[in-house]
């Protein structure tokens, strides 16, 4: 039986002295599959780094708390590879682990088979940074498993991986005999795996942090949380209605007694005056008693609300008969020109269709989307806008969000932008931070707002939901579903594919083929 415990952890940003986590405790036991959720910047990755090694966060975080690991071996998957690891070959990356040399050829072959890579994969001289997202995650997980950890700590294992690898990750998490603590934005992965939920929130305009630990699956947590909020809100509103009626009665009573005291005749002042003064004293006593009772009123529920704003307007609509895209190509070549990725590609989009392109990592989805974006952005008969997977292609990292979004310099325009950013949960300070200091989710919000303000009627989106919390995911999908124009996207988000897209195409070596969902993800992983 393995157990890992963290006690009374408090994390404070050194820069602005903002507390992002206060007095947090958690016990992990065998079989626990704990997902940490919350908006970007709420401390999930920071806490995970602190658990692995407090020195990883000491440059920007003041931390207090204890760890009682009982000699457990932690297997940590970071959200991003270090720059040094990106420059290593696959073989060099494996050699960094002392456990690699202990693996027998049979063990290496079994591991490669489990992860769906060729047997010689571990000996590749290909640079880590040139691997597809799925290949990078597989490489890291293979090295982690070689080290035989008892507890897995996974920071965004679902980012940038294809549907097949996502299902492989689900199988790994569900089959793990020890504990798993993970962070993910993929609702389907969370729903299929997590049996406990840790929710971090920043409320009152990010001046107060709050956390919840729920020993239940994610969907049950979301439903019970909504039910409890609605119940608390109804109770609080009812108490406030009763208070209003009661206060009005008290006010009228006080006015009546006061008026009678003011108008009492001189002859009646002694006897009746004493009675009225006694009554007024009783009214004041009731007022003080009510004030004490009001201190125990049910609070109005507070929650960190999901973002919402509208994408497009009536001018973004496209006539149903208009061809948005008629693309044909006899072959698709990789960006570096080294290999042919696909052949005989034919894609037609009409009206306000919303389509997505899926396929295994490295098959050329982003390459194809870049080609389509270049063509669509050059057209005069449509207004296209592009959101790449790599935000730095469009964002100036040294600009503030306000400066990036401002195209006129007009004072009213900047005020409007600040209002929009405020609705996206930016604080006044964050609006003035350079974009490079913002989280991935905050950068994604800036780009979405840019799309909203652009007046585009065709959106080209590469993994549009990848940096939003699972609680914001439904809102983002609703925005895109209701967008009156066309959407051309690449995504591995299974809920996005089901809820937003009219058609899904799979990119293969021999072209694009409509995918109706029956065969999405059939990879299995043997339990460890």
């Amino acid at each position: 039986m393995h157990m890992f415990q963290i006690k009374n952890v408090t994390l404070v940003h050194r820069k602005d002295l903002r507390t992002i986590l206060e007095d947090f405790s958690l016990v992990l036991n065998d079989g626990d599959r704990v997902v940490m959720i919350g908006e970007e910047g709420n401390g999930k990755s920071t806490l995970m780094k602190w658990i692995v090694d407090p020195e990883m966060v000491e440059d920007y975080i003041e931390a207090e708390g204890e760890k009682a690991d009982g000699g457990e071996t932690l297997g940590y998957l970071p959200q991003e590879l270090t720059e040094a690891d990106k420059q290593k070959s696959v073989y060099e990356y494996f050699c960094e682990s002392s456990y690699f040399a202990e693996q027998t050829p049979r063990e290496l072959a079994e591991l490669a088979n489990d992860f769906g890579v060729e047997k010689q994969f571990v000996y590749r001289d290909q640079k880590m940074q040139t691997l597809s997202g799925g290949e990078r995650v597989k490489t890291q997980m293979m090295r982690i498993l070689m080290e035989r950890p008892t507890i897995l700590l996974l920071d965004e294992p679902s980012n940038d991986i294809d549907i097949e690898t996502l299902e492989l990750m689900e199988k790994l998490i569900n089959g793990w005999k020890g504990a798993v603590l993970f962070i993910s934005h993929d609702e389907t992965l969370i729903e299929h795996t997590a049996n406990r939920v840790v929710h971090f929130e920043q409320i009152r305009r990010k001046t107060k942090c709050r956390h919840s630990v729920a020993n239940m699956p994610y969907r049950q947590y979301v439903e019970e949380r909504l039910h409890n909020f609605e119940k608390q809100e109804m109770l609080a509103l009812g108490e406030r209605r009763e208070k209003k009626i009661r206060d009005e009665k008290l006010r009228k009573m006080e006015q009546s007694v006061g008026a009678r005291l003011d108008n009492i005749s001189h002859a009646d002042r002694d006897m009746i005056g004493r009675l009225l003064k006694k009554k007024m004293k009783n009214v004041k006593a009731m007022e003080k008693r009510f004030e004490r009772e009001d201190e125990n009123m049910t609070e109005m529920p507070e929650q960190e609300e999901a973002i919402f704003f509208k994408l497009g307007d009536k001018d973004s609509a496209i006539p149903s008969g208009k061809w948005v895209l008629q693309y044909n190509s006899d072959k698709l070549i990789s960006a570096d020109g080294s290999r042919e990725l696909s052949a005989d590609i034919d894609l037609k989009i009409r009206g306000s269709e919303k389509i997505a392109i899926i396929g295994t990592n490295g098959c050329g989805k982003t390459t194809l989307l870049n080609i389509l974006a270049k063509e669509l952005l050059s057209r005069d008969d449509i207004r296209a806008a592009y959101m790449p997977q790599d935000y730095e292609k469009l964002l100036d990292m040294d600009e503030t969000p306000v400066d990036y979004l401002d195209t006129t310099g007009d004072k009213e325009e900047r005020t409007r932008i600040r209002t929009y950013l405020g609705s996206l949960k930016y604080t006044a300070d964050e609006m003035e931070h350079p974009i490079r200091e913002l989280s991935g989710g905050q950068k994604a919000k800036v780009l979405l707002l840019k799309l909203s303000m652009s007046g585009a009627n065709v959106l080209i989106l590469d993994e549009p939901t990848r940096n939003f919390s699972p609680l914001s995911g439904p809102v983002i999908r609703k925005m895109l579903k209701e967008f009156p124009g066309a959407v051309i996207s690449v995504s591995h988000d299974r809920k996005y594919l089901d809820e937003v897209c009219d058609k899904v195409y799979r990119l293969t070596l021999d072209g694009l083929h409509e995918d109706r969902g029956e065969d999405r993800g059939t990879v299995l992983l043997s339990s460890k």
Side-chain angles (χ1 to χ4, degrees):
M1 182 72 178
H2 300 96
M3 186 182 82
F4 182 87
Q5 186 174 13
I6 58 174
K7 295 187 289 186
N8 311 119
V9 179
T10 296
L11 304 176
V12 180
H13 266 299
R14 293 184 186 274
K15 185 173 182 178
D16 56 14
L17 301 180
R18 182 165 62 94
T19 301
I20 58 172
L21 188 62
E22 186 170 20
D23 198 26
F24 174 73
S25 299
L26 183 69
V27 177
L28 295 174
N29 292 301
D30 286 349
D32 283 344
R33 300 185 297 278
V34 185
V35 64
M36 295 197 291
I37 64 170
E39 297 299 321
E40 288 296 321
N42 284 7
K44 304 182 299 295
S45 293
T46 298
L47 174 63
M48 187 170 283
K49 288 176 184 176
W50 180 85
I51 292 171
V52 175
D53 182 1
E55 290 186 4
M56 294 174 72
V57 300
E58 65 181 7
D59 285 349
Y60 66 99
I61 290 289
E62 187 75 40
E64 294 180 3
E66 300 177 53
K67 288 190 294 181
D69 61 15
E72 303 296 333
T73 303
L74 305 181
Y76 172 53
L77 176 74
Q79 193 175 132
E80 292 283 347
L81 282 171
T82 64
E83 288 303 317
D85 281 342
K86 286 178 183 177
Q87 300 307 316
K88 291 170 186 164
S89 69
V90 173
Y91 179 60
E92 288 169 338
Y93 180 77
F94 279 111
C95 286
E96 287 285 317
S97 171
S98 58
Y99 293 86
F100 180 52
E102 299 174 10
Q103 303 294 306
T104 66
R106 181 175 178 176
E107 287 173 329
L108 287 175
E110 288 177 352
L111 198 58
N113 183 63
D114 281 344
F115 280 89
V117 297
E118 73 274 13
K119 290 181 181 179
Q120 297 302 308
F121 179 82
V122 297
Y123 300 108
R124 274 195 193 180
D125 60 4
Q126 185 178 354
K127 295 278 189 189
M128 289 289 290
Q129 68 176 355
T130 66
L131 295 176
S132 68
E135 288 173 329
R136 276 197 299 274
V137 170
K138 288 178 180 180
T139 304
Q140 292 173 88
M141 287 305 304
M142 287 169 70
R143 194 176 92 171
I144 287 169
L145 295 187
M146 287 178 188
E147 297 172 0
R148 288 176 167 67
T150 54
I151 294 175
L152 293 180
L153 303 173
L154 311 176
D155 193 349
E156 292 293 353
S158 52
N159 261 7
D160 303 330
I161 61 177
D162 56 39
I163 293 171
E164 289 76 14
T165 310
L166 275 168
E167 297 220 346
L168 182 148
M169 188 64 67
E170 288 175 8
K171 189 70 176 177
L172 170 61
I173 292 172
N174 284 329
W176 194 255
K177 289 184 171 61
V180 183
L181 179 66
F182 70 102
I183 301 166
S184 179
H185 293 145
D186 190 294
E187 286 173 79
T188 308
L189 176 77
I190 294 170
E191 289 176 359
H192 288 180
T193 58
N195 56 19
R196 298 178 70 194
V197 178
V198 176
H199 185 186
F200 299 128
E201 295 179 274
Q202 298 281 332
I203 56 176
R204 298 179 194 171
R205 291 189 172 274
K206 298 189 179 179
T207 61
K208 180 176 175 58
C209 61
R210 181 172 71 189
H211 62 264
S212 310
V213 179
N215 299 318
M216 61 184 72
Y218 174 72
R219 187 48 51 195
Q220 183 183 347
Y221 170 72
V222 171
E223 290 169 359
E224 287 195 11
R225 178 172 181 263
L226 179 62
H227 173 73
N228 291 336
F229 268 85
E230 289 174 346
K231 184 178 177 181
Q232 184 181 341
E233 186 176 37
M234 286 179 65
L235 189 60
L237 287 172
E239 289 176 2
R240 279 154 180 76
R241 280 193 297 270
E242 290 175 7
K243 171 178 163 35
K244 187 177 180 181
I245 294 169
R246 182 204 71 197
D247 288 351
E248 182 62 20
K249 285 182 178 177
L250 194 65
R251 185 182 64 80
K252 287 180 178 178
M253 192 184 302
E254 192 172 346
Q255 284 177 341
S256 174
V257 174
R260 289 175 67 187
L261 268 172
D262 290 340
N263 297 322
I264 192 169
S265 67
H266 186 75
D268 295 332
R269 185 155 297 180
D270 286 344
M271 186 174 64
I272 297 177
R274 280 198 301 270
L275 290 173
L276 288 173
K277 284 178 181 176
K278 186 176 180 181
K279 193 167 185 178
M280 179 63 82
K281 187 177 179 181
N282 289 338
V283 170
K284 293 291 185 184
M286 285 173 61
E287 191 174 15
K288 288 188 181 299
R289 178 163 60 84
F290 288 153
E291 285 177 0
R292 288 194 298 272
E293 289 176 1
D294 289 346
E295 291 176 2
N296 297 317
M297 283 178 67
T298 303
E299 291 185 5
M300 286 295 290
E302 275 192 273
Q303 60 179 316
E304 187 175 43
E305 296 176 3
I307 65 166
F308 184 77
F309 59 93
K310 195 172 179 65
L311 272 175
D313 52 32
K314 64 179 187 302
D315 294 330
S316 302
I318 296 179
S320 58
K322 179 178 176 60
W323 285 107
V324 172
L325 181 71
Q326 297 183 76
Y327 179 80
N328 289 278
S329 177
D330 58 353
K331 58 186 174 181
L332 176 67
I333 304 297
S334 62
D336 62 6
S338 63
R339 59 197 175 103
E340 184 173 315
L341 301 168
S342 184
D344 299 324
I345 295 174
D346 183 20
L347 179 61
K348 293 181 173 63
I349 300 170
R350 190 198 294 263
S352 60
E353 271 191 311
K354 292 165 180 62
I355 72 105
I357 300 168
I358 64 171
T360 57
N361 283 111
C363 72
K365 301 182 297 297
T366 293
T367 301
L368 176 58
L369 198 69
N370 286 337
I371 293 169
L372 300 179
K374 189 174 181 181
E375 177 179 319
L376 291 166
L377 289 167
S378 68
R379 296 247 302 270
D380 294 327
D381 61 321
I382 58 172
R383 299 184 306 279
Y386 178 37
M387 183 177 177
Q389 192 177 124
D390 181 359
Y391 302 150
E392 294 190 14
K393 287 181 178 178
L394 291 186
L395 295 171
D396 184 334
M397 295 292 110
D398 295 320
E399 278 190 314
T400 68
V402 176
D403 289 337
Y404 173 74
L405 294 167
D406 181 19
T407 57
T408 66
D410 182 73
K411 185 177 179 180
E412 289 184 6
E413 173 78 352
R414 293 178 73 83
T415 300
R416 188 162 64 99
I417 289 168
R418 290 177 191 279
T419 302
Y420 286 148
L421 289 170
S423 73
L424 296 179
K425 311 305 174 190
Y426 277 81
T427 64
D429 284 343
E430 287 168 339
M431 293 180 199
E432 301 303 329
H433 284 183
I435 290 174
R436 70 173 67 258
E437 294 182 11
L438 302 179
S439 67
Q442 287 173 314
K443 291 172 184 171
K445 289 175 184 178
V446 171
L447 281 177
L448 269 182
L449 188 50
K450 186 79 166 180
L451 297 184
S452 178
M453 296 172 68
S454 71
N457 56 12
V458 178
L459 301 182
I460 308 144
L461 311 172
D462 198 346
E463 294 288 357
T465 61
R466 67 191 287 265
N467 274 308
F468 292 104
S469 80
L471 293 172
S472 288
V475 181
I476 300 298
R477 295 194 295 272
K478 183 174 186 289
M479 287 163 54
L480 292 169
K481 179 68 176 175
E482 294 177 354
F483 176 66
V487 176
I488 303 165
S489 57
V490 165
S491 182
H492 299 128
D493 182 337
R494 288 161 285 183
K495 285 189 178 292
Y496 170 83
L497 299 176
D498 290 340
E499 296 176 18
V500 177
C501 301
D502 303 310
K503 291 180 181 177
V504 176
Y505 296 94
R506 181 177 290 274
L507 182 60
T508 67
L509 288 171
D510 60 351
L512 281 171
H513 305 282
E514 189 169 351
D515 186 295
R516 301 187 185 277
E518 296 93 340
D519 301 317
R520 282 183 212 151
T522 55
V523 179
L524 299 179
L525 184 77
S526 58
S527 296
K528 293 294 170 189

